[in-house]
Amino acid sequence: MASLNVGNLGEYLREQRRNAQLSLRQLADAAGVSNPYLSQIERGLRKPSADVLQQVAKALRISAETLYVRAGILDEKERDELETRAVILADPSINERQKQVLLQIYESFRKENGFEVSEYADDVDVADIADDPHVAHDADAAPKDDPSS
């Protein structure tokens, strides 16, 4: 795990808070942290936990992963992968099985291109995907029900 660079994080948080036109007190209230604690984070005096960063990110409506990278909790490549996975999982136009299949294909391409397979990847054989009746239907059609599942 990388060391925390809380000064850089604090400057970034202050910039994001100002861009959102929030006072320190307003952001502290929205994030559920104390005003003095948030002030100390912004000044680089405190090392916030991942949970606090997540609350602040939610209040600022920015990516928690971006704050994790700024804090040194997550590296840039991990963030990109997590964001890709999050976008796929949040897509309401595809069903859960399709999301899992898409993630499996994504992981197989990453592996083929020499990247490590994510710790978040499922252990499902991508070769089995072609036989899955849930994958072959059009996106506009209703998902097929599989009575065996």
Side-chain angles (χ1 to χ4, degrees):
M1 185 184 315
S3 63
L4 290 175
N5 184 353
V6 292
N8 183 23
L9 172 66
E11 292 168 16
Y12 181 75
L13 280 176
R14 182 177 294 119
E15 179 183 320
Q16 294 302 309
R17 178 177 58 78
R18 288 179 177 162
N19 288 343
Q21 299 180 335
L22 294 172
S23 70
L24 191 65
R25 186 173 309 275
Q26 288 171 319
L27 179 56
D29 288 344
V33 298
S34 74
N35 188 38
Y37 182 61
L38 185 57
S39 174
Q40 290 172 345
I41 294 170
E42 281 193 1
R43 290 181 288 143
L45 302 175
R46 290 285 190 153
K47 298 177 184 180
S49 69
D51 288 339
V52 168
L53 289 175
Q54 185 175 26
Q55 291 170 252
V56 170
K58 185 176 180 181
L60 287 171
R61 297 182 182 187
I62 61 174
S63 163
E65 288 80 9
T66 299
L67 294 185
Y68 297 160
V69 170
R70 292 276 179 168
I73 295 172
L74 188 67
D75 77 15
E76 193 78 27
K77 290 187 291 187
E78 289 175 313
R79 182 199 69 180
D80 291 344
E81 181 186 349
L82 285 173
E83 287 180 347
T84 300
R85 293 180 60 78
V87 168
I88 292 168
L89 292 170
D91 188 337
S93 67
I94 58 178
N95 67 37
E96 291 306 311
R97 178 64 185 147
Q98 291 167 330
K99 291 174 186 180
Q100 292 306 312
V101 169
L102 189 52
L103 289 172
Q104 292 161 6
I105 293 169
Y106 171 68
E107 290 298 334
S108 72
F109 285 150
R110 286 178 47 82
K111 185 176 181 181
E112 182 178 314
N113 292 332
F115 291 93
E116 289 184 27
V117 175
S118 168
E119 64 186 84
Y120 310 102
D122 293 330
D123 296 327
V124 177
D125 187 359
V126 178
D128 293 337
I129 294 170
D131 298 329
D132 191 325
H134 294 90
V135 178
H137 67 283
D138 294 331
D140 296 332
K144 296 179 183 176
D145 291 324
D146 184 358
S148 66
S149 27

